[in-house]
């Protein structure tokens, strides 16, 4: 029994030492809190006042697991995240006992099922769609659902590798984001959309200007199918981006063409583009140099300024038009942005998308300009809704982040992402195993596409792009619903592709604006 007595003595001594150290720490914190002048709570309530900051920090995590209901969280709730997780693991997404979604919330879409939907042998998969018919190398885009822009540097090497390989498995495209073309984008052999941001990362000369030689170098890769000029994004319209110096290693600096030790800053707009005429000149230049489709990405605040774009296109001819326009809603995401811009600036996608689709159609360019919808679209219902409103394609970034294992820790801008997606710390990146995550990326994409096709069949059409605004209703403030085509009639075109107003005063007024000097 002697060893037991000795062990108890040691434990008692250790416990006494622990209490003594704890007392000294509390005494030291008491003195610090009482004498500091920056925090009134800690000054008035030493030591215990520190728990307020701790609980505030931990609150967002506790709410996620213990307090928030399935449909309550923002920006994405538990039901949305769980759907993506299940889809990424190729698990069944069937549920029992009825929907947990409140169908009386204003803005909720309700798809109108057909009385006699197509039979099993009348279904069809979504057909590929050509983008850039006037280019030397048009792109036959195979998928309606694709990966939106996420830059290497903003997200990690294993994340880019998994997305590239997963995109190849699913037959979808991957947008590089504005951070340039990394070897890891090319690794999987997927189709790539190269995004040109305001800083021209990856295609800039030493002075930061667009380089034709660098453009040709990028375009030589057969995987690069299109180029996207980023004017603005939904999370921070009117403000450029910042990649912190801590995230810029030698490889990121080489790919982007920026020095190490400094933040990589993107201006709030392209310096050489002062109006839509300049923008069309830039589009023409890139298309001529690369031979590939060129489009633009923008968050819009109003349709009014965009009349000038279509007026200029009508003056120059439809060959001058951008091959596609990506509309990002004000609810779009980013790694870091000022809260006022995230919360308050930019039209939500549900408004912006309709406005741009109608402008394009009124200008008679429906078959010339493809519309891509982007902004918080992660589930099949989101994608189907955007297609009903007139989108030709849908892209998602955060949906694919969830497929990689994102837990919405909201640490994207701190280099401490616990899942290894947005961090460059090797010990955290180890959690993201590429050969497993690429399968999840592909499974998620295929699940979304498959279920969008299911919705299309349910409303009575053979494939998703045959869905129209008449196939979906939207809930109003009083809880009733109305067909979207009654709120926002679609533009009808004649056999020559010209808009027919059908007596719609709003459309007639818009057509007159196209002809204004």
């Amino acid at each position: 029994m002697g060893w037991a007595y000795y062990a108890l003595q040691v434990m008692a001594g250790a416990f006494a030492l622990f209490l003594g150290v704890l007392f000294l720490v509390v005494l030291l914190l008491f003195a610090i809190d009482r004498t500091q002048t920056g925090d009134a709570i800690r000054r008035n309530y030493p030591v215990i006042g520190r728990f307020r900051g701790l609980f505030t920090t931990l609150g967002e995590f506790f709410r996620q697991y213990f307090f928030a209901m399935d449909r309550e969280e923002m920006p994405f709730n538990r039901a949305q995240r769980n759907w993506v997780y299940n889809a990424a693991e190729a698990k069944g997404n069937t549920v029992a006992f009825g929907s947990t979604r409140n169908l009386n919330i204003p803005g909720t879409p309700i798809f109108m099922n057909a009385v006699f939907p197509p039979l099993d042998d009348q279904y069809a998969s979504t057909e590929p769609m050509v983008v850039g018919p006037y280019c030397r190398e048009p792109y036959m885009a195979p998928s309606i659902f694709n990966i939106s822009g996420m830059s290497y540097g903003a997200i990690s090497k294993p994340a880019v590798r998994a997305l590239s390989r997963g995109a190849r498995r699913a037959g979808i495209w991957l947008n590089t984001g504005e951070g340039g073309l990394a070897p890891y984008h090319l690794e999987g052999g997927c189709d790539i959309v190269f995004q040109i941001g305001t800083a021209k990362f990856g295609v800039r000369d030493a002075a930061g200007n667009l380089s034709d030689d660098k453009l040709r170098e990028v375009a030589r890769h057969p995987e690069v199918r299109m180029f996207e000029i980023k004017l603005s994004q939904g999370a921070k319209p009117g403000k450029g981006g910042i990649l912190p110096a801590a995230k810029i290693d030698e490889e990121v600096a080489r790919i982007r063409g920026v020095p190490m030790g400094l933040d990589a800053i993107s201006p709030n707009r392209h310096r050489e583009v002062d109006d839509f005429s300049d923008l069309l000149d830039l589009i023409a230049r890139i298309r001529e140099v690369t031979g590939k489709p060129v489009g633009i990405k923008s968050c819009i605040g109003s349709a009014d300024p965009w009349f000038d774009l279509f007026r200029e296109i009508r003056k120059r001819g439809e060959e001058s038009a951008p091959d596609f326009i990506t509309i990002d809603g004000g609810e779009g995401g980013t790694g870091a942005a000022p809260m006022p811009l995230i919360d308050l600036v930019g039209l939500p996608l549900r408004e912006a998308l309709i406005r741009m689709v109608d402008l394009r159609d009124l200008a008679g360019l429906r078959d010339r300009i493809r519309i891509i919808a982007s902004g918080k679209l992660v589930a099949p219902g989101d994608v189907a809704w955007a297609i009903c409103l007139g989108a030709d394609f849908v892209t998602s970034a955060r949906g694919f982040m969830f497929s990689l294992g994102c837990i919405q820790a909201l640490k994207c801008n701190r280099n401490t992402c616990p899942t290894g997606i947005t961090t460059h710390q090797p010990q955290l990146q180890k959690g993201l195993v590429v050969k497993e995550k690429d399968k999840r990326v592909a499974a998620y994409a295929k699940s979304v596409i498959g279920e969008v096709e299911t919705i299309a069949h349910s409303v009575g059409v053979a494939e998703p792009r045959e869905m129209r605004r008449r196939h979906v209703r939207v809930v109003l403030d009083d809880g009733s619903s109305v067909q979207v085509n009654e709120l926002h009639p679609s533009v009808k075109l004649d056999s020559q592709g010209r808009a027919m107003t059908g007596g719609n005063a709003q459309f007639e007024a818009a057509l007159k604006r196209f002809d204004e000097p």
Side-chain angles (χ1 to χ4, degrees):
M1 296 295 291
W3 64 268
Y5 177 72
Y6 177 74
L8 286 173
Q9 283 186 314
V10 171
M11 292 172 63
F15 184 66
L17 178 63
F18 171 75
L19 290 178
V21 172
L22 181 63
F23 175 78
L24 290 175
V25 170
V26 170
L27 192 63
L28 178 63
L29 292 176
F30 182 93
I32 292 173
D33 289 349
R34 181 65 83 180
T35 55
Q36 60 85 34
T37 58
D39 190 328
I41 295 296
R42 285 169 50 203
R43 186 173 176 86
N44 291 337
Y45 303 94
V47 184
I48 62 173
R50 290 174 174 265
F51 285 94
R52 177 182 179 277
L54 176 64
F55 291 152
T56 298
T57 301
L58 295 178
E60 63 191 60
F61 304 108
F62 286 132
R63 285 193 297 273
Q64 179 177 152
Y65 297 112
F66 301 115
F67 304 114
M69 299 295 286
D70 283 351
R71 302 280 184 174
E72 287 183 345
E73 292 178 88
M74 294 292 284
F76 294 91
N77 59 50
R78 187 184 297 121
Q80 292 172 307
R81 297 196 309 273
N82 285 346
W83 189 93
V84 177
Y85 296 151
N86 288 335
E89 293 175 6
K91 293 180 178 178
N93 256 317
T94 57
V95 296
F97 215 70
S99 174
T100 61
R101 184 169 190 171
N102 185 350
L103 298 180
N104 294 317
I105 297 176
T108 299
I110 300 174
F111 295 94
M112 301 168 57
N113 59 292
V115 178
F116 303 105
L119 296 171
D120 291 342
D121 59 358
Q122 296 173 321
Y123 291 172
S125 298
T126 309
E127 291 295 320
M129 175 175 276
V130 65
V131 186
Y134 293 103
C135 299
R136 295 194 299 274
E137 298 180 45
Y139 176 41
M140 186 62 74
S143 174
I144 55 172
F145 186 60
N146 302 280
I147 303 176
S148 190
M150 292 179 280
S151 303
Y152 174 57
I155 62 174
S156 65
K157 180 191 304 183
V160 175
R161 293 178 63 207
L163 289 171
S164 174
R165 292 169 55 165
R168 173 67 175 180
R169 283 174 173 265
I172 64 178
W173 81 56
L174 167 65
N175 190 307
T176 64
E178 62 180 295
L181 182 67
Y184 318 109
H185 290 117
L186 299 167
E187 177 180 305
C190 67
D191 291 347
I192 290 174
V193 177
F194 184 92
Q195 188 180 88
I196 302 175
T198 56
K200 315 298 193 297
F201 293 134
V203 288
R204 56 188 270 156
D205 60 20
N209 300 312
L210 185 64
S211 166
D212 288 356
D213 291 337
K214 294 287 184 66
L215 278 171
R216 292 188 188 94
E217 184 179 335
V218 170
R220 286 192 191 103
H221 295 283
E223 296 88 351
V224 177
R225 299 304 189 101
M226 300 196 295
F227 288 80
E228 179 181 75
I229 301 171
K230 177 182 169 185
L231 302 181
S232 63
Q233 67 183 94
K236 47 186 177 183
K239 183 173 178 61
I242 299 177
L243 183 67
K247 282 191 169 187
I248 302 177
D249 57 19
E250 291 183 7
E251 185 177 45
V252 172
R254 183 177 64 256
I255 291 169
R256 294 198 176 208
V258 296
M260 291 184 60
L262 298 173
D263 294 342
I265 299 175
S266 300
N268 65 327
R269 70 175 177 87
H270 293 270
R271 299 186 188 280
E272 70 272 44
V273 178
D274 292 325
D275 53 32
F276 285 114
S277 180
D278 290 341
L279 178 60
L280 291 180
D281 289 342
L282 179 61
I283 291 170
R285 172 186 172 186
I286 297 172
R287 190 158 47 211
E288 175 59 30
V289 170
T290 66
K292 298 183 178 182
V294 181
I296 59 176
K297 176 179 182 177
S298 182
C299 172
I300 70 174
S302 168
D304 290 343
W306 294 87
F307 277 90
D308 290 340
L309 171 65
F310 292 100
R311 189 180 297 118
E312 187 68 19
I313 293 171
R314 286 160 67 97
K315 184 170 68 175
R316 296 188 182 199
E318 68 172 35
E319 296 89 345
S320 68
D323 297 304
F324 62 90
I325 298 177
T326 302
I327 298 299
D328 200 11
E331 64 272 56
T334 187
M339 185 176 288
L341 295 185
I342 286 180
D343 288 347
L344 304 172
V345 181
L347 282 179
L349 185 62
R350 68 174 60 249
E351 292 188 56
L353 180 58
I354 286 177
R355 283 165 168 75
M356 187 57 70
V357 168
D358 286 349
L359 277 176
R360 176 200 65 177
D361 294 351
L362 282 167
L365 297 170
R366 178 179 294 176
D367 294 327
R368 172 66 183 93
I369 301 175
R370 305 307 184 190
I371 300 293
I372 304 173
S374 176
K376 211 175 179 182
L377 306 174
V378 303
D382 305 325
V383 177
W385 165 84
I387 293 174
C388 283
L389 266 56
D392 298 301
F393 304 95
V394 171
T395 60
S396 177
R398 286 172 288 178
F400 284 96
M401 290 177 70
F402 286 134
S403 76
L404 289 173
C406 170
I407 61 172
Q408 197 168 278
L410 307 180
K411 304 296 181 186
C412 307
N413 58 330
R414 300 182 185 178
N415 204 28
T416 56
C417 171
T419 59
I421 298 172
T422 64
T423 179
H424 292 283
Q425 296 188 40
Q427 67 271 24
L428 294 175
Q429 290 183 0
K430 289 179 182 178
L432 204 164
V433 181
V434 174
K435 65 181 181 180
E436 294 298 327
K437 299 299 185 181
D438 64 350
K439 299 173 187 174
R440 293 171 56 92
V441 169
Y444 165 60
K446 291 177 180 178
S447 292
V448 170
I449 294 167
E451 295 210 14
V452 171
E453 290 174 345
T454 297
I455 293 173
H457 304 155
S458 179
V459 303
V461 298
E463 62 108 342
R465 288 203 185 96
E466 293 182 10
M467 291 191 293
R468 298 292 183 265
R469 296 176 191 178
R470 65 177 182 273
H471 291 124
V472 62
R473 303 178 70 88
V474 63
V475 177
L476 303 178
D477 292 341
D478 62 0
S480 64
S481 66
V482 63
Q483 286 183 213
V484 172
N485 66 312
E486 295 181 17
L487 289 176
H488 304 284
S490 298
V491 177
K492 293 180 173 58
L493 304 180
D494 62 20
S495 58
Q496 282 76 43
R498 295 172 300 195
M500 298 187 298
T501 63
N504 185 303
Q506 183 178 354
F507 287 164
E508 289 179 356
L511 276 174
K512 291 178 180 178
R513 291 188 62 180
F514 284 137
D515 297 322
E516 292 175 358

